[in-house]
Amino acid sequence: MKSFAMKMLTVCSVGLLLLIAGVMLQSVVRDRLANRDVAISSITESLAGEQTISGVSLVIDYIEHYREEVRNRKTGLTHFEAQSSSSSLELLPDKLDVTGKLGIDERHRGLFRVIGYVLDGRVTGNFILPAAKTLRRAAADSRLEFTSARMVFAVSDPRGIRKLEMKLKDTQWAIDANAAGPLTSKPQAAVEAVAWDVNPRATGSRAGAEASIDNVGELLGQNVPFDIKLELVGTNSLSLVPLGRESTATVTSSWRHPSFGGRFLPTQHSENAQGFDARWRVSALASNARAAWLGKAASEQERMDSFSVSLIDPVDIYVMSDRAGKYAGLFIAITLGSFLLFELLRSLRLHPLHYLLIGAALLIFFLLLLALSERLGFGLAYTVAASACVLLIGIYSVNLLRSKGLALGFTVGLGSLYGALYVILLSEQNALLMGSLLIFALLGAVMLGTRKVDWHALLAERPAFGKEDEVTVVKV
């Protein structure tokens, strides 16, 4: 019993040493994750980041001219003086509809990749402009002078705008970021008296593009349609803010693994081998977007309701490697425990160095998995790394177990354990359940397989040599 206690203490010490090494391997995964984040930041700095289309608004600036009666304090006489005050009116769409197709445009920086996209989209809707007489005034008989008006198209990162065509009623303007030279206006020949001045720049506290128009006074009291066509580059995710009284959006893509987020999930969506399509419909009664937008405060606009779709990688090699590394302790315990059990049941004599080398082979698997995944992809890398480690341990165990059949059985069992781990890693939603069932099955197999073992007799003091070292005594 004393020798068994020493053996258990030795194996546990080796296991603890291997677990410390496993923690160090986990730090390698975190370092690679940090390097990937740096690469992603570098790409988005040069290209464009996650895009948010906040929508469209119409801003009208005007000056009210009126006469105000003023009393002279000394004489008591009254007279009229000309006064003026500046005001600004911002209108949001009555109906807003966004349709688009996300084309995938992957970018790479070394071994790291970023899922980029090109949105071929269209934003349509209408503004209901108030009549001039309904605008708030300081005096009933005042005269209004409309100084400027502009239609604002807000997008979080205007660097991603490749093409943009904006149309308000009969007036149209277009820019092409792919054209050589600086951005210039290109009014269509059929349009007369075009007065657009569109620049991809910050519009106040908002980023995007704005188009200026002079004849806004002629549009007052009308239902004015707008139509925007754009080609927008972004990375990872696309978000939309429902600024219309009734907002709808339809997004399609060939990417097969979307993740929907934000305050509103799609009312309809489908996913198949060809990609996905999703449709949203949001009423202003269910969203604070319009109130937050008109509130002007940056803190309020940061809390605007929105909905989004993210293009996720279902098999992120670093996330999967990190999850696999969390099972290192289980693999070490099961494998070292199996060899300890074989040592007891077959009266073998294994050195602590044997346990250390076997544990080292188990840890090398997780390092190989990470390194090969960056080159081959997770599935193929897992197969290669697991096969190499299982084969190495299987060949090494032939001499330790002194039985080719037993070594083959152990190798098959270890390979099955790696296969079960792969299934668990892919089944993220059921990982806890499947992991628990696996541990229960292993424990049950050990208990049922050793239920007839006489542990008292097995753990009794044995000579320091095995059967092969027995001495035959010949009586004379």
Side-chain angles (χ1 to χ4, degrees):
M1 181 66 72
K2 189 178 297 183
S3 61
F4 173 74
M6 289 299 298
K7 175 64 70 173
M8 283 290 296
L9 180 61
T10 302
V11 173
C12 290
S13 300
V14 171
L16 180 60
L17 182 63
L18 293 172
L19 287 178
I20 294 174
V23 173
M24 296 175 66
L25 283 179
Q26 288 291 91
S27 66
V28 176
V29 178
R30 289 192 291 270
D31 289 341
R32 301 302 288 178
L33 277 171
N35 292 338
R36 185 189 66 171
D37 293 340
V38 171
I40 292 175
S41 298
S42 176
I43 293 175
T44 55
E45 283 293 327
S46 303
L47 185 64
E50 298 180 349
Q51 294 285 15
T52 298
I53 298 177
S54 298
V56 189
S57 66
L58 186 62
V59 182
I60 302 173
D61 299 320
Y62 62 93
I63 299 176
E64 181 183 3
H65 301 280
Y66 59 94
R67 293 170 60 85
E68 184 177 29
E69 184 177 6
V70 179
R71 179 182 295 276
N72 190 311
R73 293 182 179 180
K74 294 182 179 180
T75 63
L77 300 177
T78 61
H79 64 282
F80 290 89
E81 291 184 359
Q83 302 287 342
S84 64
S85 62
S86 300
S87 300
S88 181
L89 173 67
E90 185 167 17
L91 301 173
L92 297 180
D94 182 60
K95 290 186 178 181
L96 179 68
D97 180 61
V98 181
T99 59
K101 182 176 182 179
L102 292 178
I104 306 304
D105 182 22
E106 292 187 12
R107 300 299 178 103
H108 295 265
R109 184 63 54 89
L111 296 174
F112 308 102
R113 73 167 184 167
V114 175
I115 303 173
Y117 60 81
V118 179
L119 172 66
D120 183 8
R122 187 173 184 179
V123 183
T124 59
N126 67 290
F127 295 108
I128 299 179
L129 276 66
K133 63 181 180 180
T134 62
L135 295 178
R136 185 173 55 185
R137 304 188 182 196
D141 58 347
S142 62
R143 178 177 61 87
L144 299 182
E145 177 188 358
F146 295 96
T147 56
S148 65
R150 58 192 181 276
M151 185 167 68
V152 176
F153 175 69
V155 61
S156 59
D157 194 344
R159 295 175 306 148
I161 298 177
R162 287 185 177 175
K163 291 183 180 180
L164 180 64
E165 296 180 4
M166 301 176 69
K167 182 178 181 180
L168 182 66
K169 201 173 182 180
D170 298 325
T171 309
Q172 183 166 336
W173 184 96
I175 61 173
D176 187 348
N178 296 319
L183 299 179
T184 56
S185 60
K186 299 178 182 178
Q188 294 186 355
V191 179
E192 297 180 0
V194 179
W196 294 91
D197 180 20
V198 179
N199 296 299
R201 61 181 178 82
T203 56
S205 61
R206 302 162 187 149
E210 64 179 30
S212 300
I213 189 170
D214 293 335
N215 61 342
V216 68
E218 302 174 5
L219 302 178
L220 294 178
Q222 298 183 30
N223 188 334
V224 182
F226 64 85
D227 189 350
I228 299 175
K229 299 177 182 179
L230 75 153
E231 188 175 316
L232 183 67
V233 176
T235 54
N236 294 330
S237 72
L238 173 68
S239 300
L240 302 169
V241 177
L243 286 183
R245 291 187 186 278
E246 182 178 340
S247 302
T248 57
T250 303
V251 178
T252 62
S253 176
S254 59
W255 191 256
R256 294 181 295 173
H257 307 286
S259 176
F260 303 108
R263 295 281 291 173
F264 306 97
L265 292 177
T267 53
Q268 299 175 1
H269 76 279
S270 62
E271 302 169 25
N272 50 48
Q274 286 71 42
F276 77 90
D277 64 86
R279 178 177 174 81
W280 292 263
R281 184 174 181 179
V282 181
S283 169
L285 297 176
S287 171
N288 73 341
R290 291 171 66 91
W293 180 273
L294 297 176
K296 301 293 191 300
S299 59
E300 292 181 355
Q301 293 186 22
E302 290 175 358
R303 296 193 297 268
M304 280 194 301
D305 290 342
S306 65
F307 50 87
S308 65
V309 56
S310 300
L311 309 178
I312 63 172
D313 188 348
V315 185
D316 188 308
I317 60 173
Y318 300 104
V319 174
M320 298 293 279
S321 297
D322 182 65
R323 290 176 56 196
K326 295 177 181 178
Y327 290 88
L330 177 63
F331 269 61
I332 291 172
I334 292 175
T335 306
L336 298 189
S338 298
F339 275 95
L340 179 61
L341 192 61
F342 287 142
E343 183 177 1
L344 291 174
L345 295 178
R346 297 185 62 83
S347 300
L348 303 175
R349 298 184 62 192
L350 301 183
H351 194 274
L353 187 59
H354 293 146
Y355 289 96
L356 186 62
L357 291 175
I358 293 170
L362 293 173
L363 290 179
I364 287 296
F365 159 76
F366 299 100
L367 187 60
L368 281 175
L369 176 62
L370 175 61
L372 293 175
S373 294
E374 295 181 337
R375 303 284 183 175
L376 307 177
F378 185 79
L380 182 58
Y382 191 96
T383 302
V384 172
S387 299
C389 292
V390 169
L391 185 61
L392 176 62
I393 295 176
I395 294 174
Y396 186 69
S397 63
V398 172
N399 291 332
L400 297 184
L401 301 180
R402 298 173 186 170
S403 170
K404 293 183 179 180
L406 190 60
L408 179 61
F410 176 78
T411 302
V412 172
L414 185 60
S416 301
L417 188 61
Y418 275 103
L421 175 60
Y422 184 74
V423 175
I424 292 175
L425 292 177
L426 293 183
S427 305
E428 182 178 0
Q429 302 296 329
N430 300 315
L432 179 60
L433 174 61
M434 298 181 68
S436 301
L437 292 176
L438 175 62
I439 295 174
F440 179 80
L442 292 172
L443 178 61
V446 173
M447 293 177 66
L448 294 177
T450 60
R451 65 186 186 278
K452 296 182 179 181
V453 174
D454 186 352
W455 294 103
H456 290 285
L458 189 65
L459 299 179
E461 290 290 342
R462 300 195 302 264
F465 45 81
K467 292 182 177 180
E468 71 280 9
D469 298 319
E470 291 181 355
V471 178
T472 304
V473 179
V474 180
K475 293 184 178 179
V476 179

